[in-house]
Amino acid sequence: MSLGESLDQGDWVQGVSECIHEPLARAVQRFADQTAIDFLGRQTTWRQLDEQVGKIARGLAAIGVRKGSRVALMLPNSPYYVISYHAVARLGAIVVNLNPLYAPGEVRALIADSGATVAITMDLKLMLPKILECVGEGGLERVVVCSMTDALPRSTGLLFQLFRRSELASLPDGRVALSWDRVLDLGEDAALPAVTIDPMTDLAVLQYTGGTTGLPKGAMLTHANVVTNAAQVAYWYTGHEPGMDRMLGVLPLFHVFAMTVVMNMAVQLGATMILLPRFKLSQVLDVIERKKPTIFPVVPSLLNTINNEPGIGSRNLSSLRFCISGGAPLPVEVKESFERRTGSVVVEGYGLSEVSPVVTCNPTTGPNKPGSIGLPMPGTTVSLRDPDNPAVEVGRGEPGEICVRGPAVMRGYWRNGEATRATFVDGWLRTGDMGRMDEDGYLFLIDRIKDLILVNGYNVYPRVVEDALYTHEAVEEAIVIGVPDDEHGELPKAFVKLREGAQLDPGELRAFLSARLSPMERPCEIEIRNELPKTMIGKLSKKELVAEERAKRETAGA
């Protein structure tokens, strides 16, 4: 079954039984000479993309990549990532996504855990040395090195060489490291190996989850998992005309959210991918005005940054039809402010790596409930369970752990049967998130179970406190964590970044919250900071603050 066929809810139960190369083949057939990728002004058509995927796939086969091989991708947003991803999948090999900001020890651990034999990365000092250190450890044998300057339009490439040469790393001599052009040459006249891929069982991606402690776990995503989820999201986007949309890709493609909602959804829609290697506010706003994207996947902090740009009122962002927000809870004030400024529709969704990743989303047309993470994707079923007894379903409107079944749910964790067994209960994936469902079936995210703050034994959810903080006009960003307290067990502590030019005393903010929160929910301390920690995709991150508070207590107790 493909997206192009007539679908109803029953069809989705089994998922879309396709391999990753099949939606791409349809896009090439329908939109061959239209632009598939626009990277800083350098354009690649769907036909050219397909030709390069074929050459790189044949070149990778020539250096030993086979069905089931694990190939690590440590790449920023660029044509290299899109081509590499599809080339690896076409061979029946498995993509291992790596964050370029990982520390060298983290890179070595994930290379070893995945068993990757080949890695593809850029000739940047941020990335290449970390990959080269892994050669000979854990089985890594070859490194394919992509040229940053070759990916750019000629004038931009020259500027990069002249003014940012210090960021480039030299390609080492020897047979271990090969240039991208060398792999293209190897694939020029070679034949593509005959490969049979079962989309329902064969793995396409190992997506390592961002654990706060210990080694991240590799979610095993099949071809059908990945294609189904992209098709679900594309199906959710109503009223579009195939081949006419333009997708702005700022979120990193190595993250599962962007992999699906930027790249794979664009392939499903035949949409042009306008890719940027990183988020730079002025560049993003310029690109929206010049390139006129229609779809913009975002994280809430990115919307918040745009909202707070002093000159935003003079910018023309009217091309945006809708933004899908994920990765973190979306404050209602941030959503409504962005919609007022742009005229676009912001829909909040929810997902996790283990579900490829989108579980729910508000409709792009119809009821779009503020504060809700929306309705389940077609064929995906959500059940709210008692976190202490996940076999028991809670009543409508009551809080419970979000549990998921459906065709995009992973096969399990790579080489980790214990974690897999702990995550599944009677076929339901336990997300570790608390939510509630209203009478219309819309889901509302309460908080992560692990982030729950127990004050005198009562549950305090950080998101409730954060949402109250965001209602103050001076607050730009907020993070709430639990800190130990001898009398109460735990108490909430808030970290706040103020809007530019705003002045606010923590005491004033506590007085403001007194009418909005119960006594147990009010922060014991509010700390004003110039910046708050964020992850690579730009969502606010608690773990650094938790570690900082723990270190303070250890120092005080020494």
Side-chain angles (χ1 to χ4, degrees):
M1 177 182 64
S2 71
L3 184 65
E5 298 174 7
S6 177
L7 298 173
D8 60 30
Q9 183 72 14
D11 290 331
W12 288 105
V13 174
Q14 296 302 318
V16 179
S17 301
E18 287 191 330
C19 298
I20 286 172
H21 66 266
E22 294 178 80
L24 178 59
R26 283 198 301 276
V28 172
Q29 183 179 28
R30 297 183 67 184
F31 313 113
D33 296 318
Q34 293 181 212
T35 302
I37 302 172
D38 184 327
F39 180 63
L40 300 176
R42 182 166 188 165
Q43 298 186 346
T44 304
T45 67
W46 288 101
R47 191 195 311 276
Q48 291 168 335
L49 173 60
D50 187 55
E51 289 170 353
Q52 291 179 61
V53 168
K55 284 183 183 180
I56 289 296
R58 296 192 296 270
L60 290 174
I63 63 172
V65 176
R66 299 287 184 267
K67 180 179 179 181
S69 298
R70 274 79 69 199
V71 179
L73 304 186
M74 181 184 276
L75 295 166
N77 287 6
S78 66
Y80 292 125
Y81 183 91
V82 181
I83 294 165
S84 299
Y85 177 92
H86 282 278
V88 171
R90 191 168 292 185
L91 292 170
I94 303 168
V95 168
V96 180
N97 280 318
L98 295 181
N99 185 335
L101 294 185
Y102 280 151
E106 293 174 296
V107 175
R108 286 195 299 273
L110 296 189
I111 291 284
D113 185 72
S114 66
T117 55
V118 172
I120 305 176
T121 192
M122 297 286 286
D123 60 345
L124 296 175
K125 291 179 180 178
L126 175 66
M127 304 176 199
L128 182 57
K130 290 186 282 195
I131 290 292
L132 290 175
E133 287 178 12
C134 299
V135 174
E137 298 183 19
L140 187 65
E141 300 168 357
R142 310 296 287 274
V143 179
V144 178
V145 184
C146 309
S147 167
M148 178 56 138
T149 52
D150 287 351
L152 302 171
R154 181 168 176 77
S155 58
T156 310
L158 289 173
L159 287 171
F160 187 91
Q161 285 186 316
L162 287 171
F163 298 109
R164 303 180 70 178
R165 185 180 295 275
S166 61
E167 296 183 21
L168 297 176
S170 300
L171 182 66
D173 296 328
R175 61 183 302 275
V176 169
L178 297 89
S179 70
W180 178 266
D181 286 345
R182 174 58 179 153
V183 178
L184 279 174
D185 290 342
L186 290 172
E188 185 70 42
D189 299 315
L192 190 69
V195 180
T196 300
I197 302 172
D198 183 340
M200 304 300 289
T201 59
D202 285 335
L203 300 186
V205 177
L206 281 184
Q207 189 70 37
Y208 279 89
T209 61
T212 56
T213 58
L215 182 70
K217 302 184 291 293
M220 297 188 293
L221 305 179
T222 67
H223 283 255
N225 289 154
V226 171
V227 175
T228 293
N229 201 235
Q232 287 172 319
V233 180
Y235 184 74
W236 210 240
Y237 173 38
T238 59
H240 70 279
E241 185 177 347
M244 299 302 292
D245 276 298
R246 294 173 298 282
M247 177 80 72
L248 181 53
V250 176
L251 302 180
L253 297 177
F254 62 76
H255 189 277
V256 68
F257 179 33
M259 181 190 80
T260 293
V261 180
V262 174
M263 181 178 66
N264 292 340
M265 182 181 172
V267 172
Q268 291 281 352
L269 297 174
T272 297
M273 290 173 257
I274 304 169
L275 298 181
L276 297 176
R278 61 170 71 99
F279 176 73
K280 295 173 66 176
L281 179 58
S282 60
Q283 183 183 48
V284 168
L285 296 177
D286 288 344
V287 165
I288 293 174
E289 289 190 308
R290 289 187 295 105
K291 302 287 185 178
K292 300 190 182 308
T294 56
I295 310 172
F296 188 16
V298 294
V299 291
S301 59
L302 193 156
L303 291 182
N304 204 21
T305 300
I306 294 175
N307 285 343
N308 289 292
E309 166 64 15
I312 193 64
S314 64
R315 295 286 198 163
N316 181 5
L317 310 182
S318 61
S319 68
L320 297 174
R321 291 187 62 189
F322 90 99
C323 302
I324 178 169
S325 177
L330 174 64
V332 174
E333 290 73 21
V334 173
K335 166 186 162 64
E336 293 179 345
S337 176
F338 190 85
E339 290 179 330
R340 284 194 306 270
R341 294 171 186 274
T342 64
S344 66
V345 175
V346 180
V347 293
E348 183 175 5
Y350 161 78
L352 59 162
S353 298
E354 291 86 344
V355 194
S356 309
V358 184
V359 176
T360 65
C361 189
N362 274 276
T364 57
T365 58
N368 177 5
K369 296 192 177 186
S372 170
I373 54 176
L375 299 165
M377 290 288 97
T380 296
T381 306
V382 171
S383 174
L384 299 184
R385 305 294 182 98
D386 181 342
D388 296 322
N389 185 4
V392 176
E393 192 169 37
V394 302
R396 184 63 62 97
E398 297 179 13
E401 181 179 3
I402 300 171
C403 297
V404 183
R405 295 182 75 165
V409 174
M410 69 171 183
R411 282 183 54 187
Y413 292 114
W414 176 254
R415 295 176 174 172
N416 196 334
E418 181 180 353
T420 299
R421 288 187 292 273
T423 301
F424 285 91
V425 176
D426 296 330
W428 292 90
L429 174 80
R430 300 185 64 181
T431 67
D433 292 320
M434 292 292 288
R436 64 176 179 83
M437 188 175 290
D438 72 8
E439 65 281 0
D440 298 319
Y442 281 72
L443 199 63
F444 291 78
L445 186 65
I446 298 175
D447 227 319
R448 292 286 298 170
I449 291 175
K450 67 180 181 181
D451 292 337
L452 186 70
I453 303 169
L454 291 175
V455 180
N456 294 328
Y458 291 96
N459 294 345
V460 171
Y461 295 100
R463 184 179 181 181
V464 172
V465 185
E466 290 163 356
D467 285 347
L469 286 162
Y470 275 109
T471 61
H472 195 290
E473 61 182 10
V475 173
E476 180 175 332
E477 295 176 343
I479 295 176
V480 173
I481 65 171
V483 294
D485 181 81
D486 291 339
E487 181 180 352
H488 303 286
E490 283 185 299
L491 288 173
K493 177 177 179 177
F495 297 83
V496 171
K497 177 186 176 183
L498 300 180
R499 298 185 191 278
E500 186 175 351
Q503 293 185 342
L504 185 66
D505 180 82
E508 294 175 313
L509 190 49
R510 275 197 293 272
F512 173 82
L513 294 175
S514 65
R516 290 163 175 81
L517 296 171
S518 68
M520 74 177 71
E521 292 172 323
R522 295 172 198 162
C524 65
E525 183 180 355
I526 298 175
E527 190 172 323
I528 308 294
R529 295 204 172 186
N530 292 328
E531 296 293 336
L532 296 181
K534 293 184 175 69
T535 68
M536 177 64 181
I537 67 167
K539 66 181 182 180
L540 293 168
S541 178
K542 296 177 188 282
K543 66 179 182 180
E544 293 84 356
L545 299 175
V546 171
E548 189 179 308
E549 290 296 315
R550 184 185 303 117
K552 284 182 184 177
R553 293 193 303 275
E554 290 173 354
T555 301

